[in-house]
C-alpha cells in the first residue's frame, strides 16, 4: 500500500447535499387551493389542486421533502390554472357580451333609419 503522501478521506457522494441551499420546507399552497375549490372551481381544477396540496402537506410532515416539493409544484400549477381560468373566462364573456350589445345597438339604429325612410314614402307618391 502506498502511503508516501497523506490522503484525505472523502465521504461518499450520497452523503453530500445535492442542493447547496439550506433545506427550506416547500409551501403546500393549501389556503389558495381551498379558495379555488370553494369560490372558483373551474373544471374541478381547484379540487385537484386541493388534493395535491394535502399530499404535499402530508409528505412534508412525514419528512419526505422531495416528494413534498413535487406535489407542491403540481398544486401551484393547478391553482394558477384554476385562478386564470376563473378570472379570464368571465372577463372574456363580459367582453363578448359588451361587443354584442354594441353591435346590436348599431344595427338597430341603422334599421330604424332604413324603416323611417321606407315608411315616409317617395316624392312620386305625393303627386
Amino acid at each position: 500500500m502506498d502511503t508516501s503522501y497523506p490522503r484525505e478521506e472523502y465521504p461518499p457522494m450520497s452523503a453530500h447535499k445535492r442542493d447547496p441551499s439550506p433545506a427550506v420546507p416547500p409551501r403546500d399552497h393549501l389556503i389558495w387551493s381551498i379558495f379555488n375549490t370553494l369560490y372558483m372551481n373551474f373544471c374541478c381544477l381547484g379540487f385537484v389542486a386541493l388534493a395535491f396540496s394535502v399530499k404535499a402537506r402530508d409528505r412534508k410532515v412525514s419528512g419526505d421533502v422531495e416528494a413534498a416539493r413535487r406535489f407542491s409544484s403540481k398544486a401551484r400549477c393547478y391553482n394558477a390554472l384554476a385562478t386564470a381560468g376563473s378570472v379570464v373566462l368571465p372577463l372574456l364573456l363580459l367582453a363578448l357580451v359588451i361587443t354584442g350589445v354594441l353591435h346590436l345597438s348599431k344595427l338597430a339604429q341603422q334599421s330604424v333609419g332604413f324603416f323611417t325612410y321606407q315608411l315616409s314614402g317617395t316624392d312620386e307618391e305625393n303627386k
Side-chain angles (χ1 to χ4, degrees):
M1 181 152 97
D2 185 18
T3 58
S4 61
Y5 58 92
R7 295 181 184 224
E8 294 181 359
E9 295 292 326
Y10 291 106
M13 289 301 288
S14 62
H16 287 297
K17 280 188 172 180
R18 291 180 185 170
D19 189 8
S21 66
V24 178
R27 298 181 64 189
D28 54 15
H29 307 288
L30 189 64
I31 302 298
W32 191 12
S33 299
I34 290 172
F35 179 77
N36 278 333
T37 300
L38 294 178
Y39 296 110
M40 300 188 302
N41 199 9
F42 174 71
C43 291
C44 296
L45 290 176
F47 182 71
V48 174
L50 181 64
F52 280 115
S53 294
V54 170
K55 284 182 179 184
R57 180 166 281 198
D58 288 344
R59 298 302 164 118
K60 184 169 62 171
V61 168
S62 69
D64 190 3
V65 178
E66 193 60 37
R69 255 192 205 112
R70 283 194 317 268
F71 287 130
S72 174
S73 175
K74 288 180 183 182
R76 184 180 59 236
C77 180
Y78 282 117
N79 277 321
L81 287 173
T83 302
S86 297
V87 170
V88 170
L89 288 179
L91 290 177
L92 182 64
L93 181 64
L94 182 66
L96 287 174
V97 167
I98 289 173
T99 55
V101 167
L102 291 176
H103 180 69
L104 286 177
S105 68
K106 184 178 177 183
L107 187 64
Q109 287 175 354
Q110 290 175 354
S111 298
V112 168
F114 176 74
F115 286 121
T116 55
Y117 175 74
Q118 290 293 330
L119 295 176
S120 68
T122 60
D123 291 336
E124 294 177 5
E125 292 178 1
N126 290 339
K127 291 184 184 177

